[in-house]
Amino acid sequence: MGNALLDTPGAAWRAAGRHYRNVERELARHAPTRALVAAPRTAKVVGETLVRKIGADEPGLPVPRISPAFAAQVAIDEAILAIAMGPNAFPTRADYHRVGRELTDAGELFATRGWLDDPASYHRLPPDLTEPAFKKGWALGQSYERLLFPSGWSPRTEEPGAERWAGYEANRTASAVVLRHPGAPRPWVVAVHGFACGSAFMDFIGLHAMRMHRELGVNVALPVMPLHGARKISRISGESFLSFDLMNTVHGLSQGVWDVRRLLSWVRQQDAPEIGLYGVSLGAYMVSLLAGLDPNLDAVVAGIPVVDFPELIQSHSPTNIRLRAIEHRILGGNAEAVHRVVSPLSFAPLVPHERRFIYGGLGDRLARPTQAHRLWAHWDEPEIYWYGGNHVGYLWSGGVPEFVMTSMRSAGIVGEEADGDAQAEPEPLAQVADL
């Protein structure tokens, strides 16, 4: 008599699924072997892409061309995710109870104060930055100024997690790297780094800072986000910003907005004729949020943007963690509600439509193309550029820096030395490249 478990195709699939999960759990015990799950996950992405090719096109989200290079870049992202999601990073039972309680209390507080109905009212207007300190620095053959100032931001004492956040002493001093041209006032680009960055060396590369400074002839300011760079409180820059302590993310984004608005007040005191914002990944989230809060910005470029952290956590978390988070009322309601006050999708963009720009990676498994696509739809479908690589693939995509430079030029973010370039008719901004 045959095994009853295998008497039906459905039972066979369930048995195979249980076997796969057992193998996956065993592999997850060791970091090198965790990376092996990238292979089946990459195959799944490739399969889903092939299915999309025979279906109807989704406006604004093209289907990438399948190639060995595309699959390799997807595999790199999947391997990074698999290694990062080891058992040592999983929340404990106490974590679930504490985080669930914090988000429940925050949801009730935010609703009572009216912040969920009017997210802009959650953000306090910071005082102008008038007398920052300066230090000299050098990176990649480029001298720069380091601007430092007390942040002055702290959560309201009644907000859950406020005491924890207030204890991060290194985070209290805000800073920014500044590249300035001598002479008459020029336009400025304030460029915001991504997760785990925040050093001059990394941000010069990751934000095309020196190229913008030289080719566009603009001044550039690179603010350091909370808990990143010299403000970090753990070995990894930004680790406590994006963790299972989801109120930390709310506080970090709130303080980041405050700090950049203070920096912008100082930039305006330098008689800046125009100011553009540029952000990558976490930095793109930040500039997208600022684009809905500051009515006096001249351009915004969001690169490989994240716009919905609760959704991203849901998509990246192992099934058992996702289900336990829902059970403890973390995901599936409270996190989504509380994050409304810091979500770019809660704010109508104040930057003119023709000066909003987005680029994304069609093989991005960290921020996911759907996040950039959601921002594109929320921003009323502005110019968008897609490259065919993974999350960090923009660094070796020749089309991305050209898109950023052309976007800034088209918005008038260009200095005197680059006026000749600015008068030339820019090439049309491609929707899809590097595929």
Side-chain angles (χ1 to χ4, degrees):
M1 185 174 180
N3 190 330
L5 289 176
L6 303 180
D7 283 346
T8 66
W13 277 112
R14 288 193 295 272
R18 284 194 296 271
H19 179 69
Y20 175 81
R21 287 192 293 273
N22 289 337
V23 172
E24 192 176 46
R25 278 195 293 268
E26 185 60 33
L27 290 176
R29 297 179 185 276
H30 309 285
T33 57
R34 281 201 299 275
L36 296 177
V37 303
R41 291 176 182 175
T42 300
K44 180 182 178 183
V45 172
V46 171
E48 292 171 346
T49 302
L50 291 173
V51 170
R52 283 189 61 206
K53 280 185 175 294
I54 61 176
D57 289 341
E58 186 171 0
L61 186 59
V63 181
R65 180 173 61 85
I66 299 299
S67 67
F70 175 80
Q73 291 207 39
V74 170
I76 290 171
D77 272 4
E78 292 290 0
I80 291 171
L81 282 170
I83 292 172
M85 293 299 293
N88 60 329
F90 290 175
T92 65
R93 180 178 299 179
D95 291 333
Y96 285 108
H97 287 291
R98 175 176 50 78
V99 173
R101 184 172 59 252
E102 286 187 355
L103 288 171
T104 298
D105 292 346
E108 293 172 356
L109 174 68
F110 287 17
T112 300
R113 295 292 182 87
W115 298 330
L116 299 184
D117 293 329
D118 180 15
S121 65
Y122 175 76
H123 296 274
R124 294 161 284 176
L125 188 65
D128 287 350
L129 175 60
T130 55
E131 296 182 351
F134 286 94
K135 293 169 59 177
K136 294 289 186 180
W138 186 274
L140 296 176
Q142 173 70 54
S143 62
Y144 64 83
E145 297 173 278
R146 170 78 66 179
L147 178 152
L148 301 106
F149 60 96
S151 168
W153 185 91
S154 61
R156 300 168 180 88
T157 55
E158 63 270 27
E159 291 187 53
E163 184 176 355
R164 178 178 62 247
W165 190 267
Y168 300 150
E169 186 172 350
N171 186 51
R172 298 172 190 169
T173 299
S175 69
V177 166
V178 174
L179 300 174
R180 282 196 274 187
H181 289 279
R186 294 171 181 253
W188 283 74
V189 173
V190 176
V192 187
H193 63 77
F195 175 70
C197 299
S199 67
F201 171 83
M202 296 182 72
D203 296 348
F204 280 178
I205 297 171
L207 292 165
H208 318 294
M210 291 188 292
R211 183 170 177 179
M212 286 192 293
H213 180 58
R214 294 167 183 170
E215 291 189 17
L216 296 180
V218 298
N219 298 326
V220 179
L222 310 173
V224 178
M225 288 295 93
L227 300 184
H228 284 76
R231 307 174 72 174
K232 67 181 181 180
I233 60 168
S234 59
R235 184 174 57 88
I236 300 174
S237 176
E239 183 177 27
S240 298
F241 190 115
L242 296 179
S243 69
F244 193 66
D245 283 313
L246 295 181
M247 285 304 299
N248 271 13
T249 304
V250 174
H251 296 327
L253 292 168
S254 304
Q255 184 171 17
V257 165
W258 169 285
D259 291 345
V260 175
R261 291 175 90 173
R262 295 203 71 195
L263 176 63
L264 286 168
S265 74
W266 177 82
V267 167
R268 290 181 174 115
Q269 293 167 39
Q270 313 311 304
D271 297 323
E274 293 89 20
I275 300 174
L277 292 184
Y278 173 41
V280 171
S281 191
L282 173 61
Y285 189 112
M286 188 63 62
V287 301
S288 301
L289 179 55
L290 283 159
L293 288 168
D294 190 326
N296 299 309
L297 298 169
D298 298 288
V300 58
V301 180
I304 48 173
V306 179
V307 293
D308 186 342
F309 278 118
E311 191 278 331
L312 204 64
I313 293 169
Q314 288 238 34
S315 63
H316 288 331
S317 296
T319 302
N320 61 316
I321 291 179
R322 184 167 62 251
L323 292 177
R324 290 200 67 185
I326 293 172
E327 175 190 347
H328 286 82
R329 302 179 64 191
I330 296 171
L331 297 175
N334 284 330
E336 291 81 356
V338 170
H339 276 74
R340 283 192 61 202
V341 300
V342 290
S343 171
L345 304 180
S346 296
F347 299 86
L350 302 176
V351 177
H353 183 271
E354 68 276 10
R355 297 183 179 189
R356 307 170 201 158
F357 307 94
I358 303 169
Y359 69 80
L362 292 171
D364 189 346
R365 303 304 297 160
L366 301 182
R368 303 288 175 93
T370 51
Q371 298 261 329
H373 187 254
R374 288 177 66 187
L375 181 64
W376 175 78
H378 179 68
W379 277 3
D380 300 320
E381 304 180 3
E383 200 73 52
I384 188 167
Y385 177 93
W386 291 101
Y387 65 93
N390 65 2
H391 193 62
V392 297
Y394 79 98
L395 290 172
W396 47 83
S397 166
V400 166
E402 289 302 323
F403 175 80
V404 174
M405 301 299 160
T406 304
S407 299
M408 289 295 181
R409 284 192 179 99
S410 71
I413 312 297
V414 60
E416 291 181 3
E417 292 179 7
D419 274 352
D421 294 333
Q423 298 303 316
E425 186 69 24
E427 296 181 4
L429 301 181
Q431 187 186 47
V432 188
D434 305 326
L435 298 182

